[in-house]
Amino acid sequence: MQRVFSGIQPTGIPHLGNYLGAIRNWVKLQSDHDCIFCLVDMHSITMPWSPEELRQQTLGSAACLLAAGIEPTRLYNQSAVSAHARLGWIFNCVARLGWLNRMTQFKDKAGKNRENHSAGLYVYPNLMAADILAFHATRIPVGDDQKQHIELANDIAQKFNHDMGVDFFPEIEAFIPPAAARVMSLRDGSKKMSKSDPSEQSRIVLTDTADEIALKIRRAKTDPEPLPSEIDGLAERPEARNLVTIYAAMSETTPEAILQQFGGEGFGQFKSALTDLLVAKLAPVATETQHLLKNKDHLISVLRTGAEHARSISEPIVQEAEKLVGFIR
Ligand code: AQP
């Protein structure tokens, strides 16, 4: 059975983009893969953070993932398993600065003010490589934006194997699920839906009630034209395209099929059907999340059990890597 590793940053409550781009697919993968899912809290502190919010968001994210159908034993938080940090350090010493300089996500996140960002943000891809390779995971479900980091992880694995004269770390494969459409902000169709967007109206989160979902869809930015019947008609209409993409992904069909149904109509009827669909699929997740959040001790104990399981897999692998580099234990 192939091993799958994937992570999500507990930087806020997971949103519709995380759900359609990652979580829903993770739930499906559990039936025929050996899956490990991680709340990557160490990645979360590469950007400015509040300790109290990080604690709350880690538990909130855990509750959402469990409510969406992630099996409890497969879920843990990264900082509880030391293998990540230990292998991450080794990889800091394997990766070349030139490789990191090419990472577009760092450039996007750091913007013009590079000098003021944490060193952690710069070496983030090395830690991500360690997250995966500490488990010898070979199949990595990621969004399109993460492909470059997976290529870097393979470069690191190859250089480690070459330098140590071994064939220790396997090649990993980015698995970009077909329906992993990129979900854009509800307020601006050119920006991806993101936990860190200051506007709460830009995203639907997995704890939103039916009323909140309805309000956000009603307020979602559109244009005055009716929906087109052909997909080409969405080319210059990013907000309309986003809503059609969401509808198609949510109902597991194609945007073409949605346009056949709604082409020629205004947004009123379409938005109301989209709201019904989102409420039917997401409101049960929100209810279960709220229920799980009432018992934080239980959530902490679920994460501890998941961490023990993660340790049992990663510890022998990382100990072997440490031996290979010459560390004495
Ligand atoms: N808008 C999106 N559409 C589709 N997939 C998305 N993912 C994130 N946003 C979208 C996918 O969700 C997984 C977990 O992502 P993450 O939270 O670890 O990191 P992120 O991509 O940085 O997500 P955010 O919401 O934008 O977080 P912040 O604001 O904290 O940076 C990944 O597989 C990702 O592709």
Side-chain angles (χ1 to χ4, degrees):
M1 208 188 257
Q2 253 186 318
R3 183 166 293 147
V4 161
F5 178 94
S6 208
I8 184 165
Q9 295 190 63
T11 39
I13 297 298
H15 51 69
L16 187 61
N18 299 131
Y19 180 74
L20 291 173
I23 300 166
R24 185 176 68 170
N25 184 47
W26 294 358
V27 172
K28 288 185 189 154
L29 282 169
Q30 294 177 124
S31 62
D32 52 2
H33 288 79
D34 175 13
C35 294
I36 298 153
F37 298 121
C38 186
L39 299 166
V40 287
D41 49 6
M42 290 161 66
H43 287 282
S44 295
I45 65 167
T46 57
M47 295 293 276
W49 78 101
S50 136
E52 188 46 34
E53 276 177 20
L54 179 59
R55 270 188 285 275
Q56 295 308 327
Q57 288 166 350
T58 302
L59 295 179
S61 302
C64 284
L65 292 181
L66 296 170
I70 296 298
E71 290 169 19
T73 50
R74 299 173 189 266
L75 184 67
Y76 70 103
N77 59 311
Q78 185 185 26
S79 59
V81 176
S82 69
H84 294 272
R86 283 149 55 205
L87 192 59
W89 180 256
I90 293 174
F91 286 173
N92 283 344
C93 303
V94 172
R96 306 290 91 185
L97 285 179
W99 301 355
L100 292 174
N101 284 340
R102 286 196 284 276
M103 294 299 111
T104 53
Q105 199 185 65
F106 175 76
K107 291 181 195 157
D108 291 346
K109 286 206 168 180
K112 289 199 181 99
N113 197 7
R114 280 179 65 139
E115 307 297 310
N116 265 335
H117 278 78
S118 72
L121 185 67
Y122 189 68
V123 294
Y124 177 119
N126 297 343
L127 181 58
M128 182 170 158
D131 298 338
I132 298 163
L133 290 163
F135 293 90
H136 276 185
T138 50
R139 206 152 198 234
I140 314 303
V142 282
D144 197 37
D145 53 328
Q146 292 293 332
K147 246 169 77 180
Q148 200 187 24
H149 288 166
I150 301 296
E151 283 159 17
L152 181 90
N154 273 325
D155 289 343
I156 292 175
Q158 262 180 29
K159 182 161 164 53
F160 181 97
N161 287 348
H162 175 267
D163 291 355
M164 302 303 137
V166 287
D167 186 15
F168 182 62
F169 286 121
E171 183 165 350
I172 60 184
E173 168 207 357
F175 166 54
I176 300 170
R182 177 171 281 219
V183 178
M184 311 309 277
S185 155
L186 298 178
R187 306 300 306 158
D188 177 351
S190 67
K191 271 173 35 186
K192 81 165 189 161
M193 188 176 282
S194 179
K195 296 185 222 92
S196 51
D197 191 316
S199 162
E200 288 192 7
Q201 297 298 318
S202 70
R203 61 186 167 267
I204 288 173
V205 292
L206 296 190
T207 48
D208 277 344
T209 62
D211 286 348
E212 284 165 332
I213 293 174
L215 188 67
K216 287 178 182 177
I217 293 297
R218 215 167 36 246
R219 288 192 180 156
K221 189 172 167 198
T222 46
D223 56 51
E225 301 297 317
L227 279 160
S229 304
E230 304 288 331
I231 198 81
D232 294 349
L234 290 175
E236 304 294 324
R237 300 171 65 186
E239 283 82 19
R241 187 174 60 228
N242 187 36
L243 293 183
V244 170
T245 306
I246 292 173
Y247 200 121
M250 240 16 230
S251 51
E252 303 198 53
T253 177
T254 58
E256 285 83 352
I258 301 304
L259 291 180
Q260 270 180 13
Q261 195 183 340
F262 291 98
E265 287 179 16
F267 281 93
Q269 204 173 338
F270 173 76
K271 279 187 168 181
S272 144
L274 178 57
T275 301
D276 290 346
L277 181 64
L278 288 167
V279 168
K281 303 257 181 185
L282 299 183
V285 177
T287 308
E288 179 61 11
T289 301
Q290 298 301 357
H291 171 71
L292 288 167
L293 278 170
K294 287 194 183 125
N295 190 345
K296 299 223 163 110
D297 289 343
H298 171 68
L299 284 173
I300 291 170
S301 95
V302 166
L303 290 178
R304 285 200 182 130
T305 308
E308 264 169 47
H309 175 65
R311 238 175 261 130
S312 73
I313 301 170
S314 58
E315 193 54 38
I317 295 171
V318 172
Q319 282 195 21
E320 184 58 26
E322 289 170 331
K323 207 162 111 193
L324 286 167
V325 302
F327 291 168
I328 294 171
R329 287 185 64 88

